[in-house]
Amino acid sequence: MAERTSRMEPGGAARVAENPSGAGAEPPAVREPPIAGRGLRSDARHNRRRIMEAARAAFAERGIDVPMVAIARRAGVGPATLYRRFPTRETLVAEVFADEMAECAGLVAEALADPDPWHAFCTVLTEVCAMQAADKGFTEAFLAAFPDSDGFDERRVHVEHGLDELIRRAKESGRLRADFAREDIVLVLLANGGIVTSDPETTRAASRRLVAHMLRSFESAGDSGELPPVPPIGLGQLYRLPGD
């Protein structure tokens, strides 16, 4: 059996010395070298998350035309870093609103399963306008074209086809007026997007009432019930100068 002796290294660490033959010696522990780029990948993920959060907030407040430099500044990164992650505005917008587009597609899919065509139509229009009221940039993204995005345009076309089917069913039920067209939904979204107040809850309340008015005008006959409450808005509340 190999003879083992101990001696103290500087600093107090004990070291076991083997005999020259090496018999019975344990192999030295091998330390794995650091993986190249691990820190860089972590930094890249962090920067991407910050850019997405900054862009989402900026688009919600000001729409999708916010300068890319302003988004980079808000995210605390340089413009080069932003463009390295998102080469064009379209790729950034499509990525930011991918979840909203998926939610919109889900709303349409659920509505198509509703046995009441008029209820299905009203639900989709109300919910999509509520999404728009909560996020100014959503409808701009929905109405824009992003041919280079990863599936964004395809999903939007799928939503449009679903809306066409909802419109057809609502007309056949006799509740939706015969001269209604898909373009009228665009008009509703444009009008709803123009609601600007100093308070998010007031904006949502105003949106609900506007949509209720629109749905009444779209109905071929009958009374669709009471309108939502009047929101607390006046002409002096509609616009605020920056910094007010």
Side-chain angles (χ1 to χ4, degrees):
M1 183 173 181
E3 181 183 352
R4 300 166 65 93
T5 61
S6 310
R7 64 186 177 85
M8 299 297 293
E9 291 282 9
R15 176 182 176 185
V16 178
E18 304 292 349
N19 66 9
S21 66
E26 297 180 0
V30 177
R31 297 182 60 186
E32 295 183 1
I35 299 176
R38 173 177 290 173
L40 178 60
R41 288 197 296 271
S42 177
D43 288 346
R45 289 193 299 270
H46 179 63
N47 286 338
R48 186 178 188 279
R49 183 172 63 252
R50 290 172 64 180
I51 292 169
M52 291 280 289
E53 291 172 353
R56 183 178 297 278
F59 292 155
E61 295 170 4
R62 301 167 57 185
I64 63 175
D65 291 331
V66 179
M68 295 285 273
V69 174
I71 294 174
R73 187 183 307 115
R74 186 167 187 159
V77 302
T81 298
L82 187 152
Y83 282 108
R84 188 160 56 247
R85 305 285 175 259
F86 302 97
T88 65
R89 176 186 301 276
E90 287 75 14
T91 56
L92 177 58
V93 172
E95 185 72 15
V96 167
F97 290 107
D99 289 343
E100 283 82 354
M101 182 60 78
E103 182 179 353
C104 189
L107 286 172
V108 172
E110 290 178 7
L112 289 171
D114 190 332
D116 184 336
W118 176 246
H119 178 265
F121 173 80
C122 293
T123 298
V124 166
L125 199 59
T126 300
E127 292 297 326
V128 170
C129 284
M131 292 172 63
Q132 179 188 25
D135 191 333
K136 181 177 175 60
F138 170 67
T139 301
E140 294 181 25
F142 184 82
L143 298 176
F146 302 117
D148 297 329
S149 66
D150 185 14
F152 192 88
D153 273 2
E154 290 83 352
R155 180 161 282 175
R156 185 186 59 194
V157 170
H158 181 73
V159 168
E160 289 175 348
H161 289 165
L163 291 174
D164 287 341
E165 178 62 15
L166 290 173
I167 291 170
R168 184 189 67 79
R169 294 180 185 181
K171 285 182 178 180
E172 288 185 354
S173 73
R175 296 294 298 277
L176 180 63
R177 55 188 301 154
D179 58 355
F180 184 89
R182 186 213 291 171
E183 288 76 10
D184 292 319
I185 293 180
V186 177
L187 292 178
V188 173
L189 293 175
L190 291 173
N192 191 62
I195 298 175
V196 180
T197 73
S198 57
D199 174 62
E201 184 52 43
T202 300
T203 298
R204 287 189 287 269
S207 171
R208 287 191 295 268
R209 189 170 175 88
L210 172 67
V211 174
H213 273 302
M214 293 295 99
L215 288 174
R216 280 192 174 184
S217 70
F218 297 154
E219 193 172 13
S220 59
D223 185 354
S224 57
E226 290 188 22
L227 290 171
V230 177
I233 56 176
L235 295 178
Q237 294 175 287
L238 296 183
Y239 295 100
R240 300 291 188 197
L241 293 176
D244 286 1

